[in-house]
């Protein structure tokens, strides 16, 4: 009995280690007024890209990128490379990694909350990249307190953080038991939307009928479902993998003959009968629905 208990404990410890196997980008603190919450910052993205190398088509040898000195033409080893800022043409100021930190030690080790705002106020175009925040042992209680207050008030925290030599604007968001830090774009990083030629907004500028609105709402209703991120797949990646597997199985791994272009689906540039297309769309979706959902919709 004792051995079985020991193995169970070992298995739990292994599972816990596996969950936190990724390394933190840095360890610092969330500054919330005078409260400091020690945290580790982890990237939330898991890359699933297919890795393609550049090849010489004559003998399929990999083509490498080289770090070359412009004056000598010789390759430069990593340990001889430094970062420099060009303050005049051809004149640089060199900075070491430690100098990037020393420029503002506090900023490079903290997430400074400056405001709390309603989540609905932030347009999706500002969101850039997510990170997970995990509390370090001394900060677990304060982490939980901040999380619960944000849940109760429905607010999102706006903060500033330095990651890899650059300061970012960020939003701290509650997601279940976790605080997620999502980098935001600064306003000056977004193009001015007023430069685009868009239809006038508002009912008085409408160029469609109330009947079209009604049918379009019906179409939306038939497509409503609960958000389940696991049901969406990268279909293009899957198709690429199938194509690669097919070429491997057929022994055509080095076939680079020009392929015939695929027939693209027809795109209607000028939609004349909107009502007809909306009704067709509703009918098509309803045919795919299960009987229970179809009865509810009707």
């Amino acid at each position: 009995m004792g051995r079985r208990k020991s193995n169970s404990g070992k298995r739990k410890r292994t599972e816990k280690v596996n969950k936190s196997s990724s390394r933190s980008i840095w360890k610092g603190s969330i500054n919330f007024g005078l409260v400091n919450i020690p945290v580790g910052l982890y990237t939330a993205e898991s890359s699933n890209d297919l890795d393609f190398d550049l090849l010489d088509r004559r003998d399929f040898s990999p083509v490498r990128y080289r770090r070359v000195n412009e004056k000598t033409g010789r390759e430069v080893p990593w340990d001889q490379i430094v970062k420099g800022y060009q303050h005049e043409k051809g004149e640089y100021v060199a900075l070491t990694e430690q100098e990037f930190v020393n420029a503002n030690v506090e900023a490079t080790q903290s997430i400074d909350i400056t405001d709390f705002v309603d989540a609905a106020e932030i347009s999706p175009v500002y969101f850039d990249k997510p990170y997970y925040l995990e509390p370090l042992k001394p900060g677990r209680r304060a982490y939980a307190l901040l999380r619960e207050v944000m849940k109760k008030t429905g607010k999102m925290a706006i903060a500033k953080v330095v990651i890899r030599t650059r300061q970012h604007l960020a939003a701290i968001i509650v997601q279940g038991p976790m605080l997620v830090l999502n980098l935001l774009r600064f306003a000056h990083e977004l193009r001015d939307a007023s430069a685009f030629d868009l239809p006038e907004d508002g009912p008085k500028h409408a160029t469609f009928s109330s009947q079209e609105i009604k049918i379009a709402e019906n179409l939306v209703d038939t497509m409503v479902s609960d958000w389940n991120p696991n049901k969406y797949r990268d279909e293009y990646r899957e198709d690429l993998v199938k194509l690669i597997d097919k070429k491997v199985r057929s022994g055509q791994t080095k076939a680079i003959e020009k392929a015939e272009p695929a027939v693209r689906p027809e795109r209607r540039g000028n939609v004349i009968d909107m009502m007809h297309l909306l009704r067709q769309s509703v009918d098509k979706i309803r045919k795919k629905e299960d009987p229970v959902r179809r009865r509810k919709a009707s």
Side-chain angles (χ1 to χ4, degrees), residues 96-111:
T96 64
E97 293 301 322
Q98 190 56 51
E99 284 177 316
F100 279 109
V101 175
N102 292 347
N104 189 329
V105 176
E106 181 64 24
T108 57
Q109 296 178 348
S110 63
I111 299 167

Side-chain angles (χ1 to χ4, degrees), residues 151-169:
K151 273 185 184 177
K152 189 170 183 179
T153 59
K155 300 295 182 184
M156 194 180 281
I158 303 300
K160 287 187 176 180
V161 58
V162 173
I163 300 175
R164 298 192 181 101
T165 72
R166 183 191 164 192
Q167 188 173 60
H168 299 267
L169 191 65

Side-chain angles (χ1 to χ4, degrees), residues 162-298:
V162 173
I163 300 175
R164 298 192 181 101
T165 72
R166 183 191 164 192
Q167 188 173 60
H168 299 267
L169 191 65
I172 300 176
I173 306 159
V174 177
Q175 181 176 295
M178 177 170 278
L179 293 178
V180 176
L181 181 137
N182 204 312
L183 298 188
L184 299 175
R185 298 178 178 92
F186 286 101
H188 68 264
E189 294 177 304
L190 292 170
R191 294 176 65 184
D192 183 5
S194 65
F196 294 92
D197 183 17
L198 305 173
E200 291 288 342
D201 191 19
K204 68 177 183 179
H205 300 292
T207 58
F208 37 79
S209 66
S210 58
Q211 186 66 12
E212 285 174 320
I213 282 279
K214 188 174 181 181
I215 299 292
E217 286 176 347
N218 200 357
L219 176 58
V220 171
D221 287 340
T222 60
M223 298 175 71
V224 168
S225 66
D226 294 326
W227 166 242
N228 176 15
N230 294 319
K231 82 173 186 178
Y232 304 102
R233 309 188 322 273
D234 185 347
E235 294 169 354
Y236 179 69
R237 182 186 185 279
E238 291 174 359
D239 289 340
L240 272 180
V241 170
K242 288 177 185 175
L243 177 60
I244 291 167
D245 288 343
K246 181 180 177 182
K247 294 193 80 169
V248 170
R249 287 196 305 270
S250 64
Q252 300 294 310
T253 57
K254 295 186 178 181
I256 51 176
E257 291 82 9
K258 189 175 180 180
E260 289 297 320
V263 178
R264 294 183 179 275
E266 181 186 352
R267 301 291 182 190
R268 296 178 178 86
N270 186 21
V271 179
I272 299 172
D273 191 351
M274 182 78 77
M275 290 285 287
H276 176 66
L277 294 176
L278 287 169
R279 286 196 176 101
Q280 273 192 327
S281 301
V282 172
D283 291 341
K284 185 177 179 181
I285 292 170
R286 281 183 172 167
K287 284 176 184 176
K288 292 180 181 178
E289 288 178 341
D290 59 85
V292 175
R293 184 171 171 178
R294 201 179 302 152
R295 283 198 300 272
K296 284 182 179 178
S298 61

Side-chain angles (χ1 to χ4, degrees), residues 18-132:
N18 289 340
K19 287 178 185 175
S20 302
S21 58
S22 60
R23 289 185 179 183
S24 63
I25 291 173
W26 61 249
K27 291 180 180 178
S29 66
I30 300 173
N31 294 341
F32 169 42
L34 297 177
V35 178
N36 298 101
I37 309 172
V39 292
L41 185 74
Y42 296 80
T43 182
E45 293 179 314
S46 178
S47 177
N48 198 28
D49 291 342
L50 295 175
D51 187 19
F52 291 94
D53 294 327
L54 297 180
L55 307 174
D56 186 331
R57 65 182 295 160
R58 295 167 296 184
D59 62 359
F60 274 66
S61 296
V63 177
R64 302 296 181 197
Y65 289 102
R66 297 176 63 210
R67 302 170 302 278
V68 176
N69 184 309
E70 285 188 0
K71 290 182 179 178
T72 65
R74 294 176 183 170
E75 190 166 356
V76 183
W78 275 115
D79 62 0
Q80 295 300 312
I81 292 178
V82 296
K83 291 178 181 175
Y85 175 78
Q86 185 172 242
H87 63 98
E88 290 182 17
K89 188 170 178 62
E91 297 294 327
Y92 294 87
V93 175
L95 292 173
T96 64
E97 293 301 322
Q98 190 56 51
E99 284 177 316
F100 279 109
V101 175
N102 292 347
N104 189 329
V105 176
E106 181 64 24
T108 57
Q109 296 178 348
S110 63
I111 299 167
D112 293 313
I113 294 176
T114 60
D115 304 282
F116 287 91
V117 302
D118 290 329
E121 289 184 26
I122 305 179
S123 167
V125 298
Y126 285 96
F127 288 95
D128 189 16
K129 188 174 183 178
Y131 290 87
Y132 291 145

